[in-house]
């Protein structure tokens, strides 16, 4: 037994010399010798969780094979999960949906999976079906990580994505990433643009194409809000390490609407560690937002710099010609017969929103069936008026200043003046917040419009208002009332 322990100590020494110190400490230092059977040539190692074994065999199989083969020779390796009291690792990775049964060799086999689609962190991690593995197989031939539900919309593909001037660059880069996900170029890809310009369709198309070419890749699409809900539930359940561990196994991680995290510093901090790990091992990260990284007021500086360090790709609202092309595609798909002038009328009135185009098509189908009407210009004008706001006037910061000043009974001169009384400062900060949220003005320009305040003052104000909205329900309702007065909601 002592000689076997000495052999394992030699393996650990090899790992220390050939693996980055932080990685060794996180993964290999938790692995302990349990037993070695010369009769069956089986080495059994004790681990704090199944995930440790999965991670090591997925990411360090070659080191594992070399170290053990050079000391023990040709053997079998059995991982034996045990409950280890250690603050840095989860003590129990089982869940109510996971059944554990003992195997003959003293290890364990896991059956079942955990659902990713609910609010719980439930990442589908049907664990290894056999804890004993031959170490003489080719490197990389063992993959203990099961398939997951990628949560991709399989209808949003590159084939159905109409290319135009506003999205040509993004589509080209996205296609390259989908076909070569293992590369480091354009990583992370940060896609930003106004609502309805096709961002979500594009990133889904990237994920779908990647899975078509590389079916074994672990691709996951998740909204920022769902990620935050999963994190909160993992925190309540004491499973933060499991939560982080699952996300660190993803080959292509797609996060939509990251601006949702602006008032969630703990979620940001957790994602930072996931991001760092995936980026370091050259996994693909794709992020979507309604604004560029530099305008994510409230986001941690270290995340902003990392978001900006790859490919920041802007998508613009579709122009009329692209809207016409999208309409023609959807009309052909749905088997509709719509005259050219009607198509042009719709394209000119949807405010450059692909979502509004889809809404109009759905309305045309429904109303034409119910009313048994031909889809002519007169009919479409009536439907478009019902479906979208055609008198869309551009909101300006002057509109915001006027409405907020009236609401709080202050003057524009007071807002732009030097007074720092609370009854003046609060409306001033609200103006900055609404201008940033709904007009997407740069912080420096917002500052000039409210009396020449500097960039840092504006960012500080945005953070204060966002935090107050989150903590004070009455204040949140007050902001919503102002937005309604501005015709925003």
């Amino acid at each position: 037994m002592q000689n076997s322990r000495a052999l394992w100590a030699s393996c650990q020494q090899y790992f220390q010399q050939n693996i980055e110190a932080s990685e060794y400490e996180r993964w290999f230092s938790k692995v302990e010798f349990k037993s070695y059977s010369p009769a069956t040539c089986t080495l059994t190692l004790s681990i704090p969780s199944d995930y440790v074994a999965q991670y090591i065999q997925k990411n360090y199989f070659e080191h594992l094979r070399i170290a053990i083969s050079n000391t023990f020779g040709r053997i079998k390796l059995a991982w034996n999960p045990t409950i280890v009291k250690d603050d840095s690792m989860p003590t129990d990775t089982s869940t109510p949906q996971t059944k554990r049964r003992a195997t003959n060799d003293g290890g364990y086999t896991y059956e079942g999976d955990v659902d990713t689609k609910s609010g719980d962190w439930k990442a589908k991690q049907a664990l290894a079906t056999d804890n004993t593995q031959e170490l003489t197989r080719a490197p990389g031939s063992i993959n203990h990580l099961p398939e997951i539900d990628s949560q991709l919309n399989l209808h949003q593909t590159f084939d159905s994505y109409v290319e135009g001037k506003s999205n040509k660059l993004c589509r080209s880069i996205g296609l390259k990433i989908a076909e070569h996900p293992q590369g480091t170029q354009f990583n992370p890809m940060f896609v930003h643009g106004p609502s309805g310009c096709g961002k979500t369709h594009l990133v889904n198309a990237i994920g779908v194409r990647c899975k078509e070419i590389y079916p074994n890749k672990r691709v996951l699409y998740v909204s920022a809000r769902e990620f935050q809900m999963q994190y909160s539930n993992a925190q309540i359940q004491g499973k933060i390490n499991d939560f982080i561990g699952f996300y660190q196994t993803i080959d292509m991680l797609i996060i939509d609407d990251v601006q949702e995290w602006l008032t969630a510093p703990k979620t940001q901090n957790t994602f930072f560690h996931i991001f760092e790990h995936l980026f370091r091992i050259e996994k693909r990260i794709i992020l979507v937002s309604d604004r560029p990284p530099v305008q994510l007021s409230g986001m941690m500086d270290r995340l902003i710099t990392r978001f900006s360090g790859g490919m920041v790709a802007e998508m613009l609202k579709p122009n009329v010609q692209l809207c016409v092309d999208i309409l023609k595609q959807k009309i052909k798909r749905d088997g509709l017969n719509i005259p050219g002038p009607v198509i042009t009328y719709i394209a000119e009135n949807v405010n450059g929103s692909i979502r509004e185009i889809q809404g109009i098509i759905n309305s045309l189908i429904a109303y034409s069936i119910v009313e048994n009407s031909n889809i002519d210009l007169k009919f479409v004008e009536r439907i478009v008026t019902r479906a979208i706001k055609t008198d869309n006037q551009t909101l300006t910061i002057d509109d915001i200043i006027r409405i907020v000043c009236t609401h709080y009974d202050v003057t524009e001169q007071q807002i732009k003046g030097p007074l720092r009384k609370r009854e003046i400062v609060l409306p001033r900060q609200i103006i900055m917040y609404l201008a940033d949220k709904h007009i997407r003005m740069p912080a420096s320009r917002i500052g000039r419009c409210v009396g020449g305040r500097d960039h840092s003052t504006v960012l500080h104000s945005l953070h204060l208002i966002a935090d107050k909205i989150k903590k004070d329900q009455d204040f949140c309702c007050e902001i919503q009332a102002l937005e309604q007065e501005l015709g925003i909601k």
Side-chain angles (χ1 to χ4, degrees):
M1 176 67 72
Q2 184 61 40
N3 289 338
S4 298
R5 287 187 180 277
L7 291 175
W8 174 246
S10 297
C11 293
Q12 287 283 41
Q13 186 176 6
Y14 171 86
F15 299 143
Q16 285 181 298
Q17 294 173 349
N18 292 275
I19 293 172
E20 188 177 336
S22 61
E23 283 290 280
Y24 172 83
E25 180 62 28
R26 181 171 176 81
W27 303 108
F28 289 87
S29 67
K30 314 294 180 183
V31 180
E32 297 179 357
F33 176 87
K34 183 173 183 181
S35 66
Y36 174 66
S37 170
T40 60
C41 294
T42 301
L43 170 66
T44 303
L45 301 176
S46 176
I47 52 172
S49 72
D50 296 88
Y51 177 71
V52 172
Q54 295 170 358
Y55 184 91
I56 289 175
Q57 292 196 157
K58 178 177 174 63
N59 295 279
Y60 294 105
F61 183 90
E62 182 64 9
H63 287 301
L64 193 68
R65 186 186 67 80
I66 291 173
I68 293 180
S69 296
N70 288 344
T71 51
F72 288 89
R74 180 186 176 89
I75 65 167
K76 292 181 179 180
L77 175 64
W79 300 103
N80 190 70
T82 58
I83 297 179
V84 179
K85 189 170 181 57
D86 186 314
D87 293 336
S88 64
M89 295 301 300
T91 57
D92 186 2
T93 58
S94 64
T95 68
Q97 294 88 346
T98 306
K99 299 177 182 178
R100 189 167 72 171
R101 59 181 175 82
T103 59
N104 294 331
D105 58 12
Y108 291 97
T109 302
Y110 281 81
E111 297 176 325
D113 53 55
V114 186
D115 184 13
T116 50
K117 286 191 173 180
S118 72
D120 296 337
W121 75 272
K122 302 177 180 179
K124 275 194 177 176
Q125 58 173 47
L127 301 179
T129 57
D130 189 353
N131 291 65
T132 304
Q133 296 294 343
E134 293 276 2
L135 287 185
T136 52
R137 296 181 185 177
S141 63
I142 298 176
N143 182 6
H144 280 274
L145 296 176
E147 289 190 11
I148 59 172
D149 180 357
S150 294
Q151 301 193 55
L152 294 165
N153 184 337
L154 301 182
H155 298 291
Q156 293 182 332
T157 66
F158 280 109
D159 291 338
S160 62
Y161 193 82
V162 182
E163 182 179 304
K165 186 177 180 180
S166 61
N167 61 28
K168 185 175 182 178
L169 176 63
C170 294
R171 185 185 187 281
S172 176
I173 293 172
L175 186 58
K176 183 173 182 179
I177 287 173
E179 295 176 348
H180 305 282
Q182 67 279 6
T184 58
Q185 191 177 20
F186 307 130
N187 199 29
M189 181 182 186
F190 190 100
V191 182
H192 70 93
S195 177
C197 68
K199 304 185 298 295
T200 299
H201 188 152
L202 174 65
V203 297
N204 266 277
I206 295 172
V208 171
R209 177 62 64 87
C210 179
K211 286 292 289 182
E212 288 174 349
I213 302 174
Y214 307 97
N216 292 327
K217 289 285 186 185
R218 291 167 64 82
V219 178
L220 179 64
Y221 168 90
V222 62
S223 70
R225 181 163 297 182
E226 183 181 355
F227 180 95
Q228 188 173 352
M229 290 172 60
Q230 293 171 2
Y231 165 73
S232 297
N233 280 285
Q235 195 173 37
I236 293 170
Q237 298 168 17
K239 295 184 177 182
I240 290 297
N241 285 323
D242 289 352
F243 172 79
I244 295 174
F246 166 73
Y247 272 94
Q248 288 182 340
T249 69
I250 302 301
D251 296 313
M252 176 181 285
L253 179 59
I254 304 169
I255 307 280
D256 205 349
D257 292 325
V258 295
Q259 74 276 358
E260 296 280 350
W261 292 341
L262 295 183
T263 57
K266 290 184 179 179
T267 303
Q268 292 179 34
N269 187 60
T270 299
F271 180 71
F272 171 79
H273 295 294
I274 293 170
F275 181 102
E276 283 289 274
H277 178 83
L278 294 179
F279 185 80
R280 180 167 48 78
I281 61 175
E282 298 183 0
K283 301 300 183 182
R284 183 63 61 177
I285 305 165
I286 301 172
L287 305 159
V288 183
S289 175
D290 63 357
R291 66 197 81 174
V294 294
Q295 292 184 17
L296 290 171
S297 307
M299 192 71 74
M300 295 166 53
D301 289 340
R302 59 182 181 174
L303 274 180
I304 291 176
T305 57
R306 282 159 178 79
F307 292 170
S308 304
M311 175 66 195
V312 179
E314 180 181 15
M315 290 184 65
L316 304 174
K317 282 191 173 184
N319 57 24
V320 173
Q321 183 55 53
L322 180 55
C323 288
V324 167
D325 294 339
I326 293 171
L327 274 163
K328 288 180 177 178
Q329 183 206 61
K330 293 183 181 297
I331 288 167
K332 181 179 180 181
R333 179 202 64 191
D334 294 327
L336 298 176
N337 182 19
I338 300 180
V342 174
I343 294 175
T344 302
Y345 173 81
I346 296 172
E348 290 174 344
N349 285 277
V350 292
N351 304 316
S353 172
I354 297 173
R355 287 195 182 94
E356 288 188 355
I357 289 175
Q358 185 61 58
I360 290 295
I361 294 296
N362 293 338
S363 297
L364 288 176
I365 294 173
Y367 279 107
S368 62
I369 293 174
V370 172
E371 300 182 8
N372 193 25
S373 302
N374 293 324
I375 303 179
D376 55 21
L377 188 57
K378 185 177 180 180
F379 174 76
V380 170
E381 285 177 351
R382 180 162 55 88
I383 300 303
V384 168
T385 302
R386 292 178 183 177
I388 63 176
K389 186 178 178 181
T390 55
D391 58 341
N392 184 44
Q393 296 179 350
T394 303
L395 182 68
T396 68
I397 193 169
D398 291 331
D399 297 327
I400 294 174
I401 292 173
R402 175 174 51 80
I403 293 295
V404 173
C405 285
T406 301
H407 185 86
Y408 287 97
D409 195 22
V410 297
T411 66
E412 184 175 335
Q413 289 72 26
Q414 288 174 318
I415 290 294
K416 296 183 178 181
L419 289 177
R420 297 186 57 79
K421 294 181 179 180
R422 186 184 184 283
E423 57 267 27
I424 304 299
V425 171
L426 182 61
R428 185 185 293 145
Q429 291 174 336
I430 290 172
I431 289 169
M432 296 180 193
Y433 172 81
L434 293 174
D436 173 75
K437 181 179 179 181
H438 298 294
I439 306 180
R440 306 287 183 256
M441 290 176 63
S444 56
R445 186 180 166 197
I446 293 174
R448 289 196 298 271
C449 291
V450 291
R453 266 70 191 180
D454 61 28
H455 178 270
S456 60
T457 299
V458 175
L459 294 182
H460 179 66
S461 298
L462 298 179
H463 176 73
L464 288 177
I465 296 299
D467 190 54
K468 187 173 177 63
I469 289 172
K470 182 180 179 183
K471 296 178 179 178
D472 188 336
Q473 184 61 38
D474 290 339
F475 183 70
C476 179
C477 292
E478 195 169 344
I479 295 298
Q480 290 175 353
L482 284 169
E483 290 175 326
Q484 288 177 353
E485 288 187 63
L486 290 164
I488 296 168
K489 290 187 177 182

